[in-house]
Amino acid sequence: TELEVQLLADGNTYYTVYEKNLTDGVWDGTWNTKNVTIPVLTLSADDDWMGSWKDLPVYNSNHERIVYTIQELDEITGYEQIGVDRTD
């Protein structure tokens, strides 16, 4: 049995990366933006139902902490979903 889980950043399946726009190696005062899709993880008993996402940003474009939540994409018979609040 496997379970697919999706990490959401402020309710979205992606987060936005901001990079300085360089012209000949010098920042021209503007920013490039790129949306990065957060991958779905497949968990199973083989990996003790554990997985992780790495190198995620902490703050959004408004300099507010991003709220990350996990959404289970599958239902497993006999399994009760519980919520875990973890901010670290």
Side-chain angles (χ1 to χ4, degrees):
T1 302
E2 295 181 336
L3 174 68
E4 288 192 332
V5 292
Q6 173 70 63
L7 183 68
L8 302 174
D10 290 333
N12 299 304
T13 59
Y14 64 89
Y15 58 89
T16 304
V17 174
Y18 297 86
E19 299 171 342
K20 291 181 178 181
N21 190 17
L22 303 177
T23 303
D24 296 325
V26 178
W27 183 41
D28 67 7
T30 62
W31 296 88
N32 292 321
T33 60
K34 176 175 66 171
N35 288 338
V36 178
T37 300
I38 303 170
V40 171
L41 291 183
T42 301
L43 308 178
S44 70
D46 292 339
D47 55 25
D48 292 324
W49 302 100
M50 293 191 297
S52 63
W53 293 271
K54 298 180 182 183
D55 302 321
L56 298 168
V58 176
Y59 298 98
N60 62 23
S61 62
N62 297 324
H63 307 288
E64 299 166 335
R65 281 187 81 88
I66 295 174
V67 175
Y68 288 100
T69 54
I70 296 175
Q71 179 181 26
E72 296 178 354
L73 303 178
D74 301 315
E75 289 187 27
I76 298 175
T77 304
Y79 170 78
E80 180 181 344
Q81 181 180 356
I82 60 170
V84 177
D85 181 13
R86 185 168 176 189
T87 57
D88 57 348

